[in-house]
Amino acid sequence: MKTRRLLLLFMLTGAFTQLRAQEEAKIMFLTFKISKVKNGDDFQIQLLDKKIVNGKIKNEKVHSHTPDKLVFSILDAQQQLAKSLEIDNPLSTSIESFEPDGTIHRHVATQESSEFIVRFQYASQMKKLTLQPQNKRARAQNFSTFSMDL
């Protein structure tokens, strides 16, 4: 009987500890607007909103379908890389089309501007976010570093 009580107490304590650990995990959502600049390959990005919510991201893998990328580098207070995330450039959207012969083709459609959201597991030591285009022709104008302080 005493063993059963100890076992029940142990199971409840373990479940409570796991629940508390899940509550402490946080996700940061950043909303951006990206726009092409008149000269063609350059673009401008503006941070519209940032939110931190409780939760844990199960899968942080991003599947890539376009050659143009944006690389997000998250830095700590000592300017050291804490995390890196690569996404498709939101101005280049991959579209699949079905041909009459049954084949599937992938096309890249370009846009003049777009809004997009980036999410990642948040840690309090994350202080800055920098962005770089991976396409060497493009240069990001009037941005590069955003503060992650709320």
Side-chain angles (χ1 to χ4, degrees):
M1 184 71 170
K2 190 175 186 180
T3 307
R4 284 186 183 171
R5 285 185 191 167
L6 286 173
L7 182 59
L8 181 60
L9 180 64
F10 178 72
M11 287 179 6
L12 289 174
T13 305
F16 178 72
T17 303
Q18 264 187 338
L19 183 61
R20 244 183 57 213
Q22 286 177 351
E23 289 174 354
E24 292 171 3
K26 299 199 179 295
I27 301 171
M28 179 173 259
F29 291 89
L30 299 170
T31 305
F32 294 94
K33 181 176 182 175
I34 184 170
S35 304
K36 279 188 180 180
V37 179
K38 293 179 184 173
N39 66 358
D41 288 335
D42 294 346
F43 53 87
Q44 181 175 356
I45 292 185
Q46 179 181 17
L47 178 63
L48 300 177
D49 190 26
K50 52 187 172 181
K51 291 182 184 175
I52 296 178
V53 298
N54 290 334
K56 182 172 177 150
I57 297 176
K58 294 179 184 175
N59 184 2
E60 288 190 79
K61 291 183 181 177
V62 178
H63 300 287
S64 180
H65 299 291
T66 62
D68 292 339
K69 311 265 183 274
L70 291 179
V71 178
F72 292 80
S73 299
I74 301 165
L75 308 174
D76 62 16
Q78 290 77 36
Q79 303 299 309
Q80 298 297 313
L81 182 65
K83 187 173 194 74
S84 181
L85 178 67
E86 183 180 289
I87 67 165
D88 287 341
N89 185 335
L91 295 177
S92 301
T93 306
S94 179
I95 299 172
E96 292 180 343
S97 63
F98 296 91
E99 302 299 326
D101 65 357
T103 59
I104 300 173
H105 292 279
R106 189 176 305 250
H107 309 279
V108 177
T110 59
Q111 303 174 41
E112 293 298 314
S113 69
S114 179
E115 289 185 11
F116 65 99
I117 297 174
V118 175
R119 68 183 179 126
F120 53 87
Q121 206 65 50
Y122 176 75
S124 60
Q125 60 267 28
M126 297 175 172
K127 298 298 178 194
K128 289 185 180 177
L129 174 77
T130 63
L131 290 142
Q132 282 184 299
Q134 196 175 40
N135 177 351
K136 295 190 181 2
R137 295 177 319 212
R139 293 186 316 270
Q141 291 188 344
N142 301 329
F143 86 101
S144 68
T145 303
F146 298 98
S147 171
M148 294 180 61
D149 298 328
L150 291 178

